[in-house]
Structures are given as structure tokens and as C-alpha cells.
Amino acid sequence: MADISMNKARVMIRKAMQKGRELDLKPLAVIVLDAGGNVKAFEREDGTAPGRYAIAHGKAYGSVMLGMAGTAQMARAEQQTYFMDAANGVFGGQVVPVPGGVLVRDKRGAVIGAVGVTGDLSENDAICAAFGIEAANFVAEV
């Protein structure tokens, strides 16, 4: 299983933000977590609210800890609210089950981390996260 190096984490962040600028999105905050849910790198653009760290982290953290991307978490929350409420309780309220939390998989399909992006519409955040992940030569699961 590959690990996310600091260099690859920086590529993911830089490329996610680049995509946000190309799409003319609101300022973004981007976090990269490793497979254990530990912060590898974080940046936020000028003009991003300080609370965006917690949101980006929650999107990525939920993805890694549950093994499902934010889009799947949101669908699960809509179908089984009790499950996502319980999971969020287990993880101390740190899970933000919406698009923008994207799993990072290596070429063999193993989950090696997650990227969380916040700042614009959740669907746009997910597009930027996936772009950054793929730019670092990993596979994005949105």
C-alpha cells in the first residue's frame, strides 16, 4: 500500500485550489489526511473563513473513518439518519457527511487517505478534491 508523501499532499492541495480558481469558485480550504485520519497537510486561501478547517477536516475524516466518500455518506444519512447520527457520535461529532470528502485510493484500490475541500457548493468542492487527487496520480472516490 502506498502512503501519501508530503510532496503528494502538497500537489493535491495546490491542484485542488487551482481547479477552484479555474471554475471561479469561492476561496477554498483543503486538507489531506492519511489512512489513519491524521492530518498530512492543510491550506486555506485568502478570504476563507477560519471555521473552514473544521469543515474540511470533517469531510475528509468521515470519509477515511467510514471508508466511504462524502457523497455516499450523504446518501446514507438520507436513507438511515440513525446510522450517521450514531457514527458521528462515535467519532465525537467530527463527521461532515456531504460531498467534498473524497477518498484517496492507490492504484491497487486500497484507501490511503482522504481529501476534504470546503468553501463553495459541496458538489464543486468534490470536483476540486478529485482533480487534486488525480493530479497526484492517485484514484479519487467521490
PDB file of all heavy atoms in Angstrom, residues 12-50:
ATOM      1  N   MET A  12      -1.808  17.676  -4.215  1.00  0.00           N
ATOM      2  CA  MET A  12      -3.272  17.586  -4.137  1.00  0.00           C
ATOM      3  C   MET A  12      -3.888  18.923  -3.746  1.00  0.00           C
ATOM      4  O   MET A  12      -4.876  19.356  -4.344  1.00  0.00           O
ATOM      5  CB  MET A  12      -3.690  16.500  -3.148  1.00  0.00           C
ATOM      6  CG  MET A  12      -3.458  15.104  -3.654  1.00  0.00           C
ATOM      7  SD  MET A  12      -4.139  13.869  -2.524  1.00  0.00           S
ATOM      8  CE  MET A  12      -2.639  13.106  -1.947  1.00  0.00           C
ATOM      9  N   ILE A  13      -3.299  19.573  -2.757  1.00  0.00           N
ATOM     10  CA  ILE A  13      -3.827  20.863  -2.304  1.00  0.00           C
ATOM     11  C   ILE A  13      -3.689  21.913  -3.398  1.00  0.00           C
ATOM     12  O   ILE A  13      -4.647  22.617  -3.724  1.00  0.00           O
ATOM     13  CB  ILE A  13      -3.127  21.314  -1.008  1.00  0.00           C
ATOM     14  CG1 ILE A  13      -3.568  20.417   0.152  1.00  0.00           C
ATOM     15  CG2 ILE A  13      -3.424  22.788  -0.708  1.00  0.00           C
ATOM     16  CD1 ILE A  13      -2.789  20.625   1.441  1.00  0.00           C
ATOM     17  N   ARG A  14      -2.499  22.019  -3.951  1.00  0.00           N
ATOM     18  CA  ARG A  14      -2.250  23.039  -4.983  1.00  0.00           C
ATOM     19  C   ARG A  14      -3.175  22.855  -6.181  1.00  0.00           C
ATOM     20  O   ARG A  14      -3.772  23.816  -6.682  1.00  0.00           O
ATOM     21  CB  ARG A  14      -0.784  22.987  -5.417  1.00  0.00           C
ATOM     22  CG  ARG A  14      -0.399  24.092  -6.376  1.00  0.00           C
ATOM     23  CD  ARG A  14       1.081  24.082  -6.728  1.00  0.00           C
ATOM     24  NE  ARG A  14       1.404  22.949  -7.597  1.00  0.00           N
ATOM     25  CZ  ARG A  14       2.143  21.898  -7.241  1.00  0.00           C
ATOM     26  NH1 ARG A  14       2.665  21.824  -6.033  1.00  0.00           N
ATOM     27  NH2 ARG A  14       2.388  20.924  -8.094  1.00  0.00           N
ATOM     28  N   LYS A  15      -3.339  21.611  -6.634  1.00  0.00           N
ATOM     29  CA  LYS A  15      -4.173  21.350  -7.807  1.00  0.00           C
ATOM     30  C   LYS A  15      -5.662  21.521  -7.504  1.00  0.00           C
ATOM     31  O   LYS A  15      -6.422  21.979  -8.363  1.00  0.00           O
ATOM     32  CB  LYS A  15      -3.886  19.955  -8.363  1.00  0.00           C
ATOM     33  CG  LYS A  15      -2.509  19.833  -8.973  1.00  0.00           C
ATOM     34  CD  LYS A  15      -2.351  20.768 -10.158  1.00  0.00           C
ATOM     35  CE  LYS A  15      -1.066  20.522 -10.906  1.00  0.00           C
ATOM     36  NZ  LYS A  15      -0.986  21.326 -12.135  1.00  0.00           N
ATOM     37  N   ALA A  16      -6.087  21.165  -6.303  1.00  0.00           N
ATOM     38  CA  ALA A  16      -7.491  21.388  -5.927  1.00  0.00           C
ATOM     39  C   ALA A  16      -7.802  22.882  -5.943  1.00  0.00           C
ATOM     40  O   ALA A  16      -8.837  23.312  -6.469  1.00  0.00           O
ATOM     41  CB  ALA A  16      -7.776  20.795  -4.552  1.00  0.00           C
ATOM     42  N   MET A  17      -6.887  23.676  -5.393  1.00  0.00           N
ATOM     43  CA  MET A  17      -7.095  25.131  -5.385  1.00  0.00           C
ATOM     44  C   MET A  17      -7.027  25.707  -6.797  1.00  0.00           C
ATOM     45  O   MET A  17      -7.789  26.614  -7.136  1.00  0.00           O
ATOM     46  CB  MET A  17      -6.084  25.791  -4.465  1.00  0.00           C
ATOM     47  CG  MET A  17      -6.353  25.528  -3.006  1.00  0.00           C
ATOM     48  SD  MET A  17      -5.153  26.380  -1.965  1.00  0.00           S
ATOM     49  CE  MET A  17      -5.829  26.062  -0.338  1.00  0.00           C
ATOM     50  N   GLN A  18      -6.130  25.171  -7.602  1.00  0.00           N
ATOM     51  CA  GLN A  18      -6.031  25.610  -8.997  1.00  0.00           C
ATOM     52  C   GLN A  18      -7.355  25.382  -9.715  1.00  0.00           C
ATOM     53  O   GLN A  18      -7.838  26.248 -10.448  1.00  0.00           O
ATOM     54  CB  GLN A  18      -4.909  24.848  -9.707  1.00  0.00           C
ATOM     55  CG  GLN A  18      -4.808  25.112 -11.195  1.00  0.00           C
ATOM     56  CD  GLN A  18      -3.801  24.186 -11.857  1.00  0.00           C
ATOM     57  OE1 GLN A  18      -2.743  23.898 -11.315  1.00  0.00           O
ATOM     58  NE2 GLN A  18      -4.147  23.693 -13.032  1.00  0.00           N
ATOM     59  N   LYS A  19      -7.961  24.211  -9.498  1.00  0.00           N
ATOM     60  CA  LYS A  19      -9.247  23.903 -10.122  1.00  0.00           C
ATOM     61  C   LYS A  19     -10.322  24.876  -9.645  1.00  0.00           C
ATOM     62  O   LYS A  19     -11.150  25.338 -10.426  1.00  0.00           O
ATOM     63  CB  LYS A  19      -9.656  22.460  -9.819  1.00  0.00           C
ATOM     64  CG  LYS A  19     -10.864  21.998 -10.581  1.00  0.00           C
ATOM     65  CD  LYS A  19     -10.569  21.946 -12.059  1.00  0.00           C
ATOM     66  CE  LYS A  19     -11.645  21.263 -12.851  1.00  0.00           C
ATOM     67  NZ  LYS A  19     -11.370  21.330 -14.298  1.00  0.00           N
ATOM     68  N   GLY A  20     -10.287  25.206  -8.370  1.00  0.00           N
ATOM     69  CA  GLY A  20     -11.235  26.187  -7.843  1.00  0.00           C
ATOM     70  C   GLY A  20     -11.109  27.535  -8.520  1.00  0.00           C
ATOM     71  O   GLY A  20     -12.107  28.196  -8.816  1.00  0.00           O
ATOM     72  N   ARG A  21      -9.886  27.957  -8.800  1.00  0.00           N
ATOM     73  CA  ARG A  21      -9.668  29.232  -9.485  1.00  0.00           C
ATOM     74  C   ARG A  21     -10.156  29.139 -10.930  1.00  0.00           C
ATOM     75  O   ARG A  21     -10.764  30.077 -11.448  1.00  0.00           O
ATOM     76  CB  ARG A  21      -8.183  29.630  -9.460  1.00  0.00           C
ATOM     77  CG  ARG A  21      -7.590  29.871  -8.073  1.00  0.00           C
ATOM     78  CD  ARG A  21      -8.170  31.021  -7.230  1.00  0.00           C
ATOM     79  NE  ARG A  21      -9.606  31.105  -7.079  1.00  0.00           N
ATOM     80  CZ  ARG A  21     -10.364  30.450  -6.179  1.00  0.00           C
ATOM     81  NH1 ARG A  21      -9.815  29.632  -5.316  1.00  0.00           N
ATOM     82  NH2 ARG A  21     -11.669  30.606  -6.140  1.00  0.00           N
ATOM     83  N   GLU A  22      -9.880  28.001 -11.596  1.00  0.00           N
ATOM     84  CA  GLU A  22     -10.334  27.810 -12.977  1.00  0.00           C
ATOM     85  C   GLU A  22     -11.857  27.886 -13.072  1.00  0.00           C
ATOM     86  O   GLU A  22     -12.389  28.400 -14.047  1.00  0.00           O
ATOM     87  CB  GLU A  22      -9.877  26.454 -13.509  1.00  0.00           C
ATOM     88  CG  GLU A  22      -8.407  26.362 -13.812  1.00  0.00           C
ATOM     89  CD  GLU A  22      -7.980  24.942 -14.197  1.00  0.00           C
ATOM     90  OE1 GLU A  22      -8.852  24.060 -14.397  1.00  0.00           O
ATOM     91  OE2 GLU A  22      -6.763  24.719 -14.282  1.00  0.00           O
ATOM     92  N   LEU A  23     -12.537  27.360 -12.061  1.00  0.00           N
ATOM     93  CA  LEU A  23     -14.005  27.352 -12.038  1.00  0.00           C
ATOM     94  C   LEU A  23     -14.590  28.620 -11.437  1.00  0.00           C
ATOM     95  O   LEU A  23     -15.808  28.748 -11.334  1.00  0.00           O
ATOM     96  CB  LEU A  23     -14.505  26.122 -11.276  1.00  0.00           C
ATOM     97  CG  LEU A  23     -14.142  24.762 -11.877  1.00  0.00           C
ATOM     98  CD1 LEU A  23     -14.570  23.635 -10.947  1.00  0.00           C
ATOM     99  CD2 LEU A  23     -14.763  24.596 -13.262  1.00  0.00           C
ATOM    100  N   ASP A  24     -13.725  29.532 -11.009  1.00  0.00           N
ATOM    101  CA  ASP A  24     -14.137  30.794 -10.392  1.00  0.00           C
ATOM    102  C   ASP A  24     -15.005  30.564  -9.150  1.00  0.00           C
ATOM    103  O   ASP A  24     -16.027  31.203  -8.952  1.00  0.00           O
ATOM    104  CB  ASP A  24     -14.869  31.687 -11.402  1.00  0.00           C
ATOM    105  CG  ASP A  24     -14.946  33.133 -10.936  1.00  0.00           C
ATOM    106  OD1 ASP A  24     -14.032  33.583 -10.211  1.00  0.00           O
ATOM    107  OD2 ASP A  24     -15.941  33.813 -11.296  1.00  0.00           O
ATOM    108  N   LEU A  25     -14.556  29.626  -8.306  1.00  0.00           N
ATOM    109  CA  LEU A  25     -15.280  29.307  -7.079  1.00  0.00           C
ATOM    110  C   LEU A  25     -14.889  30.263  -5.962  1.00  0.00           C
ATOM    111  O   LEU A  25     -13.910  30.998  -6.069  1.00  0.00           O
ATOM    112  CB  LEU A  25     -14.966  27.861  -6.652  1.00  0.00           C
ATOM    113  CG  LEU A  25     -15.269  26.771  -7.676  1.00  0.00           C
ATOM    114  CD1 LEU A  25     -14.943  25.400  -7.093  1.00  0.00           C
ATOM    115  CD2 LEU A  25     -16.710  26.828  -8.152  1.00  0.00           C
ATOM    116  N   LYS A  26     -15.638  30.209  -4.887  1.00  0.00           N
ATOM    117  CA  LYS A  26     -15.287  30.956  -3.681  1.00  0.00           C
ATOM    118  C   LYS A  26     -13.965  30.408  -3.139  1.00  0.00           C
ATOM    119  O   LYS A  26     -13.574  29.284  -3.469  1.00  0.00           O
ATOM    120  CB  LYS A  26     -16.398  30.811  -2.634  1.00  0.00           C
ATOM    121  CG  LYS A  26     -17.708  31.443  -3.063  1.00  0.00           C
ATOM    122  CD  LYS A  26     -18.784  31.172  -2.039  1.00  0.00           C
ATOM    123  CE  LYS A  26     -20.126  31.703  -2.537  1.00  0.00           C
ATOM    124  NZ  LYS A  26     -21.217  31.303  -1.648  1.00  0.00           N
ATOM    125  N   PRO A  27     -13.272  31.162  -2.279  1.00  0.00           N
ATOM    126  CA  PRO A  27     -11.995  30.677  -1.723  1.00  0.00           C
ATOM    127  C   PRO A  27     -12.164  29.332  -1.017  1.00  0.00           C
ATOM    128  O   PRO A  27     -13.153  29.094  -0.321  1.00  0.00           O
ATOM    129  CB  PRO A  27     -11.600  31.772  -0.729  1.00  0.00           C
ATOM    130  CG  PRO A  27     -12.294  32.996  -1.223  1.00  0.00           C
ATOM    131  CD  PRO A  27     -13.590  32.515  -1.807  1.00  0.00           C
ATOM    132  N   LEU A  28     -11.176  28.471  -1.205  1.00  0.00           N
ATOM    133  CA  LEU A  28     -11.251  27.100  -0.704  1.00  0.00           C
ATOM    134  C   LEU A  28     -10.292  26.834   0.445  1.00  0.00           C
ATOM    135  O   LEU A  28      -9.238  27.468   0.550  1.00  0.00           O
ATOM    136  CB  LEU A  28     -10.928  26.113  -1.831  1.00  0.00           C
ATOM    137  CG  LEU A  28     -11.826  26.152  -3.057  1.00  0.00           C
ATOM    138  CD1 LEU A  28     -11.321  25.173  -4.105  1.00  0.00           C
ATOM    139  CD2 LEU A  28     -13.281  25.855  -2.697  1.00  0.00           C
ATOM    140  N   ALA A  29     -10.663  25.863   1.260  1.00  0.00           N
ATOM    141  CA  ALA A  29      -9.787  25.281   2.272  1.00  0.00           C
ATOM    142  C   ALA A  29      -9.674  23.807   1.923  1.00  0.00           C
ATOM    143  O   ALA A  29     -10.672  23.159   1.604  1.00  0.00           O
ATOM    144  CB  ALA A  29     -10.374  25.456   3.670  1.00  0.00           C
ATOM    145  N   VAL A  30      -8.434  23.280   1.953  1.00  0.00           N
ATOM    146  CA  VAL A  30      -8.188  21.896   1.529  1.00  0.00           C
ATOM    147  C   VAL A  30      -7.322  21.203   2.574  1.00  0.00           C
ATOM    148  O   VAL A  30      -6.301  21.738   3.001  1.00  0.00           O
ATOM    149  CB  VAL A  30      -7.472  21.856   0.159  1.00  0.00           C
ATOM    150  CG1 VAL A  30      -7.298  20.412  -0.302  1.00  0.00           C
ATOM    151  CG2 VAL A  30      -8.219  22.676  -0.879  1.00  0.00           C
ATOM    152  N   ILE A  31      -7.737  20.010   2.947  1.00  0.00           N
ATOM    153  CA  ILE A  31      -6.975  19.206   3.900  1.00  0.00           C
ATOM    154  C   ILE A  31      -6.720  17.824   3.308  1.00  0.00           C
ATOM    155  O   ILE A  31      -7.547  17.303   2.558  1.00  0.00           O
ATOM    156  CB  ILE A  31      -7.725  19.084   5.254  1.00  0.00           C
ATOM    157  CG1 ILE A  31      -6.790  18.603   6.357  1.00  0.00           C
ATOM    158  CG2 ILE A  31      -8.951  18.209   5.125  1.00  0.00           C
ATOM    159  CD1 ILE A  31      -7.367  18.816   7.756  1.00  0.00           C
ATOM    160  N   VAL A  32      -5.573  17.253   3.641  1.00  0.00           N
ATOM    161  CA  VAL A  32      -5.231  15.892   3.238  1.00  0.00           C
ATOM    162  C   VAL A  32      -4.971  15.096   4.509  1.00  0.00           C
ATOM    163  O   VAL A  32      -4.175  15.513   5.360  1.00  0.00           O
ATOM    164  CB  VAL A  32      -3.981  15.864   2.332  1.00  0.00           C
ATOM    165  CG1 VAL A  32      -3.626  14.424   1.965  1.00  0.00           C
ATOM    166  CG2 VAL A  32      -4.194  16.707   1.077  1.00  0.00           C
ATOM    167  N   LEU A  33      -5.672  13.963   4.638  1.00  0.00           N
ATOM    168  CA  LEU A  33      -5.481  13.059   5.769  1.00  0.00           C
ATOM    169  C   LEU A  33      -4.880  11.755   5.278  1.00  0.00           C
ATOM    170  O   LEU A  33      -5.153  11.314   4.157  1.00  0.00           O
ATOM    171  CB  LEU A  33      -6.817  12.747   6.456  1.00  0.00           C
ATOM    172  CG  LEU A  33      -7.656  13.918   6.969  1.00  0.00           C
ATOM    173  CD1 LEU A  33      -8.900  13.382   7.673  1.00  0.00           C
ATOM    174  CD2 LEU A  33      -6.858  14.820   7.870  1.00  0.00           C
ATOM    175  N   ASP A  34      -4.108  11.100   6.143  1.00  0.00           N
ATOM    176  CA  ASP A  34      -3.573   9.778   5.803  1.00  0.00           C
ATOM    177  C   ASP A  34      -4.617   8.712   6.141  1.00  0.00           C
ATOM    178  O   ASP A  34      -5.729   9.032   6.581  1.00  0.00           O
ATOM    179  CB  ASP A  34      -2.228   9.536   6.487  1.00  0.00           C
ATOM    180  CG  ASP A  34      -2.308   9.442   8.008  1.00  0.00           C
ATOM    181  OD1 ASP A  34      -3.418   9.250   8.581  1.00  0.00           O
ATOM    182  OD2 ASP A  34      -1.250   9.547   8.647  1.00  0.00           O
ATOM    183  N   ALA A  35      -4.267   7.466   5.947  1.00  0.00           N
ATOM    184  CA  ALA A  35      -5.211   6.359   6.148  1.00  0.00           C
ATOM    185  C   ALA A  35      -5.680   6.212   7.592  1.00  0.00           C
ATOM    186  O   ALA A  35      -6.708   5.591   7.858  1.00  0.00           O
ATOM    187  CB  ALA A  35      -4.589   5.049   5.668  1.00  0.00           C
ATOM    188  N   GLY A  36      -4.943   6.782   8.534  1.00  0.00           N
ATOM    189  CA  GLY A  36      -5.338   6.730   9.941  1.00  0.00           C
ATOM    190  C   GLY A  36      -6.135   7.939  10.387  1.00  0.00           C
ATOM    191  O   GLY A  36      -6.485   8.056  11.554  1.00  0.00           O
ATOM    192  N   GLY A  37      -6.433   8.847   9.453  1.00  0.00           N
ATOM    193  CA  GLY A  37      -7.190  10.051   9.785  1.00  0.00           C
ATOM    194  C   GLY A  37      -6.338  11.178  10.336  1.00  0.00           C
ATOM    195  O   GLY A  37      -6.863  12.150  10.860  1.00  0.00           O
ATOM    196  N   ASN A  38      -5.015  11.055  10.213  1.00  0.00           N
ATOM    197  CA  ASN A  38      -4.105  12.085  10.697  1.00  0.00           C
ATOM    198  C   ASN A  38      -3.871  13.136   9.626  1.00  0.00           C
ATOM    199  O   ASN A  38      -3.768  12.820   8.439  1.00  0.00           O
ATOM    200  CB  ASN A  38      -2.755  11.456  11.079  1.00  0.00           C
ATOM    201  CG  ASN A  38      -2.937  10.391  12.120  1.00  0.00           C
ATOM    202  OD1 ASN A  38      -3.376  10.661  13.231  1.00  0.00           O
ATOM    203  ND2 ASN A  38      -2.628   9.154  11.755  1.00  0.00           N
ATOM    204  N   VAL A  39      -3.751  14.390  10.049  1.00  0.00           N
ATOM    205  CA  VAL A  39      -3.542  15.487   9.108  1.00  0.00           C
ATOM    206  C   VAL A  39      -2.149  15.387   8.509  1.00  0.00           C
ATOM    207  O   VAL A  39      -1.151  15.332   9.222  1.00  0.00           O
ATOM    208  CB  VAL A  39      -3.723  16.860   9.792  1.00  0.00           C
ATOM    209  CG1 VAL A  39      -3.423  17.997   8.813  1.00  0.00           C
ATOM    210  CG2 VAL A  39      -5.121  17.003  10.365  1.00  0.00           C
ATOM    211  N   LYS A  40      -2.115  15.373   7.184  1.00  0.00           N
ATOM    212  CA  LYS A  40      -0.861  15.377   6.441  1.00  0.00           C
ATOM    213  C   LYS A  40      -0.519  16.807   6.019  1.00  0.00           C
ATOM    214  O   LYS A  40       0.626  17.225   6.105  1.00  0.00           O
ATOM    215  CB  LYS A  40      -1.005  14.467   5.221  1.00  0.00           C
ATOM    216  CG  LYS A  40       0.267  14.141   4.538  1.00  0.00           C
ATOM    217  CD  LYS A  40       1.062  13.154   5.371  1.00  0.00           C
ATOM    218  CE  LYS A  40       2.367  12.834   4.680  1.00  0.00           C
ATOM    219  NZ  LYS A  40       3.174  11.898   5.413  1.00  0.00           N
ATOM    220  N   ALA A  41      -1.525  17.553   5.562  1.00  0.00           N
ATOM    221  CA  ALA A  41      -1.314  18.939   5.141  1.00  0.00           C
ATOM    222  C   ALA A  41      -2.657  19.659   5.083  1.00  0.00           C
ATOM    223  O   ALA A  41      -3.701  19.040   4.882  1.00  0.00           O
ATOM    224  CB  ALA A  41      -0.638  18.987   3.781  1.00  0.00           C
ATOM    225  N   PHE A  42      -2.601  20.988   5.263  1.00  0.00           N
ATOM    226  CA  PHE A  42      -3.797  21.821   5.186  1.00  0.00           C
ATOM    227  C   PHE A  42      -3.409  23.206   4.697  1.00  0.00           C
ATOM    228  O   PHE A  42      -2.364  23.732   5.092  1.00  0.00           O
ATOM    229  CB  PHE A  42      -4.477  21.959   6.561  1.00  0.00           C
ATOM    230  CG  PHE A  42      -5.568  22.994   6.588  1.00  0.00           C
ATOM    231  CD1 PHE A  42      -6.816  22.725   6.052  1.00  0.00           C
ATOM    232  CD2 PHE A  42      -5.343  24.251   7.118  1.00  0.00           C
ATOM    233  CE1 PHE A  42      -7.825  23.682   6.051  1.00  0.00           C
ATOM    234  CE2 PHE A  42      -6.343  25.219   7.134  1.00  0.00           C
ATOM    235  CZ  PHE A  42      -7.590  24.931   6.596  1.00  0.00           C
ATOM    236  N   GLU A  43      -4.252  23.773   3.854  1.00  0.00           N
ATOM    237  CA  GLU A  43      -4.103  25.167   3.450  1.00  0.00           C
ATOM    238  C   GLU A  43      -5.485  25.749   3.223  1.00  0.00           C
ATOM    239  O   GLU A  43      -6.415  25.046   2.850  1.00  0.00           O
ATOM    240  CB  GLU A  43      -3.293  25.301   2.153  1.00  0.00           C
ATOM    241  CG  GLU A  43      -1.826  25.034   2.311  1.00  0.00           C
ATOM    242  CD  GLU A  43      -1.042  25.350   1.039  1.00  0.00           C
ATOM    243  OE1 GLU A  43      -1.411  26.294   0.312  1.00  0.00           O
ATOM    244  OE2 GLU A  43      -0.075  24.622   0.789  1.00  0.00           O
ATOM    245  N   ARG A  44      -5.570  27.070   3.430  1.00  0.00           N
ATOM    246  CA  ARG A  44      -6.808  27.761   3.074  1.00  0.00           C
ATOM    247  C   ARG A  44      -6.433  29.029   2.340  1.00  0.00           C
ATOM    248  O   ARG A  44      -5.434  29.690   2.655  1.00  0.00           O
ATOM    249  CB  ARG A  44      -7.696  28.039   4.281  1.00  0.00           C
ATOM    250  CG  ARG A  44      -7.171  28.993   5.303  1.00  0.00           C
ATOM    251  CD  ARG A  44      -8.143  29.084   6.498  1.00  0.00           C
ATOM    252  NE  ARG A  44      -7.650  30.031   7.471  1.00  0.00           N
ATOM    253  CZ  ARG A  44      -7.992  31.317   7.519  1.00  0.00           C
ATOM    254  NH1 ARG A  44      -8.827  31.813   6.638  1.00  0.00           N
ATOM    255  NH2 ARG A  44      -7.490  32.105   8.431  1.00  0.00           N
ATOM    256  N   GLU A  45      -7.214  29.346   1.338  1.00  0.00           N
ATOM    257  CA  GLU A  45      -6.951  30.526   0.530  1.00  0.00           C
ATOM    258  C   GLU A  45      -7.327  31.793   1.293  1.00  0.00           C
ATOM    259  O   GLU A  45      -8.153  31.751   2.220  1.00  0.00           O
ATOM    260  CB  GLU A  45      -7.738  30.460  -0.779  1.00  0.00           C
ATOM    261  CG  GLU A  45      -7.272  29.344  -1.691  1.00  0.00           C
ATOM    262  CD  GLU A  45      -8.056  29.281  -2.983  1.00  0.00           C
ATOM    263  OE1 GLU A  45      -9.298  29.172  -2.930  1.00  0.00           O
ATOM    264  OE2 GLU A  45      -7.417  29.341  -4.032  1.00  0.00           O
ATOM    265  N   ASP A  46      -6.741  32.890   0.896  1.00  0.00           N
ATOM    266  CA  ASP A  46      -7.115  34.180   1.459  1.00  0.00           C
ATOM    267  C   ASP A  46      -8.618  34.377   1.267  1.00  0.00           C
ATOM    268  O   ASP A  46      -9.167  34.044   0.211  1.00  0.00           O
ATOM    269  CB  ASP A  46      -6.366  35.319   0.758  1.00  0.00           C
ATOM    270  CG  ASP A  46      -4.872  35.296   1.027  1.00  0.00           C
ATOM    271  OD1 ASP A  46      -4.451  34.641   2.002  1.00  0.00           O
ATOM    272  OD2 ASP A  46      -4.131  35.926   0.250  1.00  0.00           O
ATOM    273  N   GLY A  47      -9.272  34.882   2.288  1.00  0.00           N
ATOM    274  CA  GLY A  47     -10.704  35.136   2.215  1.00  0.00           C
ATOM    275  C   GLY A  47     -11.561  33.970   2.673  1.00  0.00           C
ATOM    276  O   GLY A  47     -12.783  34.073   2.714  1.00  0.00           O
ATOM    277  N   THR A  48     -10.932  32.858   3.036  1.00  0.00           N
ATOM    278  CA  THR A  48     -11.681  31.707   3.536  1.00  0.00           C
ATOM    279  C   THR A  48     -11.929  31.881   5.032  1.00  0.00           C
ATOM    280  O   THR A  48     -11.022  32.239   5.775  1.00  0.00           O
ATOM    281  CB  THR A  48     -10.885  30.406   3.306  1.00  0.00           C
ATOM    282  OG1 THR A  48     -10.544  30.316   1.937  1.00  0.00           O
ATOM    283  CG2 THR A  48     -11.693  29.188   3.696  1.00  0.00           C
ATOM    284  N   ALA A  49     -13.129  31.627   5.464  1.00  0.00           N
ATOM    285  CA  ALA A  49     -13.463  31.761   6.884  1.00  0.00           C
ATOM    286  C   ALA A  49     -12.635  30.777   7.716  1.00  0.00           C
ATOM    287  O   ALA A  49     -12.374  29.655   7.282  1.00  0.00           O
ATOM    288  CB  ALA A  49     -14.952  31.490   7.097  1.00  0.00           C
ATOM    289  N   PRO A  50     -12.216  31.173   8.915  1.00  0.00           N
ATOM    290  CA  PRO A  50     -11.379  30.297   9.736  1.00  0.00           C
ATOM    291  C   PRO A  50     -12.051  28.987  10.124  1.00  0.00           C
ATOM    292  O   PRO A  50     -11.371  27.985  10.336  1.00  0.00           O
ATOM    293  CB  PRO A  50     -11.052  31.141  10.971  1.00  0.00           C
ATOM    294  CG  PRO A  50     -12.038  32.250  10.970  1.00  0.00           C
ATOM    295  CD  PRO A  50     -12.472  32.457   9.556  1.00  0.00           C
TER     296      PRO A  50
END
